[in-house]
Amino acid sequence: MSGGSGRVVVVTGGTRGIGLGLARELIARGCRVVVCGRSAAAVDDAVAGLAGLAGVGGPQVVTGLATDVTSRVQVQALWDHAVATFGRVDVWINNAGMSAPRGPLPELSEETFAEVVATNLVGVANGCAVALPGLQAQAAGGWLWNMEGFGSNGQHQPGLAAYGATKRAVTYLTESLVRDAKGGNVKVGFLSPGIVATDLLTADYDGQPEAFEKARRIFNILGDRVETVTPWLAEHLLDARKNGARVAWLTTPKVMGRFLTAGFRTRDIFAAPAEAR
């Protein structure tokens, strides 16, 4: 068990994908976890599954609340629920996000564009606006982590204008908060999972099977499964000590190594795990 023992961690968007994987790994490292998702059913399912990690009759390790992160009132309710259940919050992870089918910006509806911005940028800002004062009010302070993604460091690909713009903005927002946090009792960090096989990734190619098959080769070189990435992310975010820390899975040396060995390895990150077949 690592340095996470007893810490209370909130993971927004923790009912599926990377968020659910993080919740599972944090519990495995002794944390108590609070998850949220948009629907009560999704939250209930996630909590039921995660609760089993403590074993029958074990202590409560997880709770959750249906939350729309685009509403600051609901995000505040999530904080209040976490404190009411576990007494405090030590780590807040702004993970909730969404994407949109790839395509030229003029072909993306105004409603879809607004939803991506509201979830990926406004939702993160709401999480920061609620968590920062809450953490600061605690004698021990705490950690705030924002999830990066494609576009965060200025990458560009056709058809990803909306998603990439929001992730670029989240990185700017986080950099600003890192500066603001200097000398305080709250530390701010960046989480960068790289390319992970989730429904968020495949949703980019909804209705575009040919484009997906074309991109699949690169994904299978550079990408990984949730269960590969999230243990590493959980371990490193719990061990972080310095304000402004960046926990990044897919580093430049790793990218170079993957391409150099691609011809000698066969990978399919989208195939069902062996135990699920």
Side-chain angles (χ1 to χ4, degrees), residues 15-245:
T15 62
R16 62 182 186 176
I18 294 173
L20 181 59
L22 273 175
R24 185 179 296 113
E25 295 301 330
L26 290 164
I27 290 172
R29 285 158 178 77
C31 295
R32 293 170 288 172
V33 173
V34 184
V35 298
C36 78
R38 288 193 177 187
S39 78
V43 171
D44 290 345
D45 286 347
V47 169
L50 293 168
L53 298 176
V56 178
Q60 182 178 5
V61 296
V62 62
T63 186
L65 186 70
T67 306
D68 181 351
V69 296
T70 68
S71 164
R72 192 171 297 186
V73 170
Q74 292 193 34
V75 175
Q76 182 64 58
L78 177 64
W79 171 279
D80 294 342
H81 177 76
V83 172
T85 305
F86 293 125
R88 66 180 191 276
V89 173
D90 299 301
V91 181
W92 182 285
I93 302 174
N94 284 313
N95 165 76
M98 66 170 292
S99 190
R102 286 175 179 249
L105 182 63
E107 295 179 9
L108 194 65
S109 73
E110 181 180 359
E111 292 76 18
T112 299
F113 184 86
E115 188 178 8
V116 172
V117 172
T119 302
N120 295 1
L121 180 54
V122 177
V124 171
N126 284 339
C128 295
V130 166
L132 281 170
L135 293 167
Q136 289 165 350
Q138 300 174 154
W143 270 93
L144 170 70
W145 294 91
N146 289 337
M147 188 72 71
E148 295 189 308
F150 185 85
S152 287
N153 65 0
Q155 315 105 310
H156 293 274
Q157 274 193 18
L160 285 177
Y163 181 82
T166 60
K167 287 301 181 178
R168 186 67 168 156
V170 165
T171 296
Y172 180 92
L173 171 67
T174 310
E175 289 169 348
S176 299
L177 296 178
V178 168
R179 293 185 179 92
D180 293 345
K182 285 182 179 178
N185 65 344
V186 176
K187 296 179 178 66
V188 179
F190 308 79
L191 278 181
S192 301
I195 299 171
V196 184
T198 65
D199 56 359
L200 186 69
L201 180 63
T202 56
D204 288 347
Y205 295 88
D206 280 353
Q208 304 173 50
E210 291 182 3
F212 177 72
E213 287 305 316
K214 191 173 182 180
R216 187 172 183 140
R217 178 176 175 273
I218 296 299
F219 291 155
N220 280 329
I221 293 173
L222 298 180
D224 291 283
R225 298 180 189 274
V226 168
E227 59 268 26
T228 301
V229 176
T230 51
W232 189 91
L233 292 178
E235 194 74 29
H236 284 75
L237 75 86
L238 291 174
D239 288 343
R241 296 292 179 266
K242 186 178 179 182
N243 181 46

